[in-house]
């Protein structure tokens, strides 16, 4: 099955062969089970400003920059973009709620997969829209000896954010790879769109409440129901794509 998907990808892009060197991981909903907190914080904070977002909608916006998400809501309810000051106040409101949530644990299956990826000689890279200052510390605490500071793309690095290809193009640059040398692991529709637009083979893992179709329609090449399931198939995928 993987061979056929690989051939389809190579044909579509006109690439000759795959030579897997790096795996680019999204963070929220892929490595950490943080999406329920984000969804709660967005929907809760927005209500305070007369803007309404259900937790389900928050999953559809996952990966967008905070400023981008706020503008979509203010356009819908106020008919205009938010001012810089409004964005700051609203985002602070969301962050305050988020920071009061209990710290999210790891997504089950993420840790053993990261170890397998590293042991197979591939470079693990994080590509996230998150802009928390202590991100690398937290990654290192949870997944020791996997990630490097110079192989991370965070909310501090990007201007446009997902679904723009920018974050994954930057991730490829940091990993020093071409599209046929990397695979993306994503859980969100906009993240998948970003990775696909960057020309990368994209594996969706459905760790949230959205239907599988939404992730496949965003352009994912392959879908697993969990990180455990992807971890179980890693050797097979690696053999096929190296
Ligand atoms: Mg995510």
């Amino acid at each position: 099955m993987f061979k056929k998907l690989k051939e389809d990808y190579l044909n579509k892009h006109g690439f000759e062969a795959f030579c897997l060197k790096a795996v680019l991981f999204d963070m929220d909903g892929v490595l950490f089970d943080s999406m329920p907190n984000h969804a709660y914080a967005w929907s809760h904070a927005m209500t305070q400003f007369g803007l309404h977002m259900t937790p389900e909608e928050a999953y559809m916006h996952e990966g967008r920059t905070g400023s981008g998400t706020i503008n979509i809501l203010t356009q819908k309810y106020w008919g205009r973009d938010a001012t810089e000051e409004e964005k700051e106040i609203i985002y602070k409101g969301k962050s305050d709620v988020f920071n009061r949530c209990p710290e999210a644990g790891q997504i089950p299956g993420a840790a053993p997969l990261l170890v397998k990826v590293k042991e197979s000689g591939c470079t693990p890279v994080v590509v996230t829209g998150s802009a928390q200052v202590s991100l690398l510390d937290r990654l290192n605490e949870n997944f020791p000896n996997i990630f490097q500071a110079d192989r991370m793309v965070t909310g501090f690095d990007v201007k446009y954010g997902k679904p723009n290809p920018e974050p994954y193009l930057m991730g490829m640059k940091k990993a020093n790879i071409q599209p046929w040398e990397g695979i993306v692991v994503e859980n969100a529709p906009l993240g998948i769109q970003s990775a696909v637009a960057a020309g990368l083979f994209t594996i969706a893992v459905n760790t949230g409440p959205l239907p599988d179709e939404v992730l496949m329609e965003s352009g994912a090449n392959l879908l697993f129901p969990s990180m455990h399931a992807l971890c179980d198939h890693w050797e097979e995928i690696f053999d096929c794509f190296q």
Side-chain angles (χ1 to χ4, degrees), residues 26-30 35 62 162 186-188:
D26 169 50
M27 188 179 76
D28 290 306
V30 167
M35 274 315 294
E62 185 191 344
K162 302 166 186 178
E186 259 288 353
N187 71 305

Side-chain angles (χ1 to χ4, degrees), residues 21-223:
K21 290 181 181 166
V23 183
L24 288 71
F25 290 91
D26 169 50
M27 188 179 76
D28 290 306
V30 167
L31 302 180
F32 292 117
D33 192 14
S34 38
M35 274 315 294
N37 289 350
H38 280 293
Y40 170 77
W42 272 120
S43 63
H44 197 78
M46 285 298 188
T47 314
Q48 300 167 14
F49 299 96
L51 304 164
H52 301 284
M53 184 195 268
T54 63
E56 289 71 28
E57 269 179 89
Y59 279 91
M60 291 302 293
H61 289 297
E62 185 191 344
R64 222 186 270 290
T65 61
S67 147
T69 304
I70 290 165
N71 273 340
I72 286 178
L73 270 282
T74 58
Q75 279 290 350
K76 184 172 167 190
Y77 290 98
W78 302 345
R80 61 168 177 84
D81 279 352
T83 63
E84 288 307 312
E85 198 189 348
E86 286 166 342
K87 277 183 199 165
E88 214 169 284
I89 295 168
I90 296 172
Y91 195 69
K92 186 178 178 304
K94 185 258 170 177
S95 301
D96 287 348
V97 179
F98 181 78
N99 291 333
R100 285 198 299 272
C101 292
E103 192 167 66
Q106 299 175 14
I107 290 273
L113 174 62
L114 288 171
V115 170
K116 279 188 184 182
V117 166
K118 185 116 190 198
E119 281 176 354
S120 61
C122 291
T123 305
V125 179
V126 167
V127 179
T128 178
S130 179
Q132 301 161 38
V133 256
S134 56
L135 214 66
L136 185 63
D137 289 344
R138 194 148 173 257
L139 283 165
N140 283 338
E141 265 165 42
N142 278 271
F143 312 107
N145 306 316
I146 300 287
F147 297 108
Q148 286 179 29
D150 56 352
R151 305 248 170 80
M152 281 177 64
V153 177
T154 73
F156 294 114
D157 300 306
V158 299
K159 185 174 174 203
Y160 304 106
K162 302 166 186 178
N164 191 286
E166 175 199 32
Y168 281 105
L169 291 173
M170 212 176 263
M172 282 196 274
K173 206 171 171 193
K174 289 200 178 191
N176 195 22
I177 57 159
Q178 298 298 318
W180 59 87
E181 295 173 324
I183 282 180
V184 170
V185 181
E186 259 288 353
N187 71 305
L190 299 182
I192 294 167
Q193 287 174 32
S194 166
V196 170
L200 285 153
F201 188 93
T202 305
I203 298 177
V205 279
N206 196 352
T207 61
L210 300 175
D212 288 350
E213 297 83 69
V214 175
L215 301 181
M216 289 311 289
E217 281 161 13
S218 298
N221 298 90
L222 174 61
L223 181 139

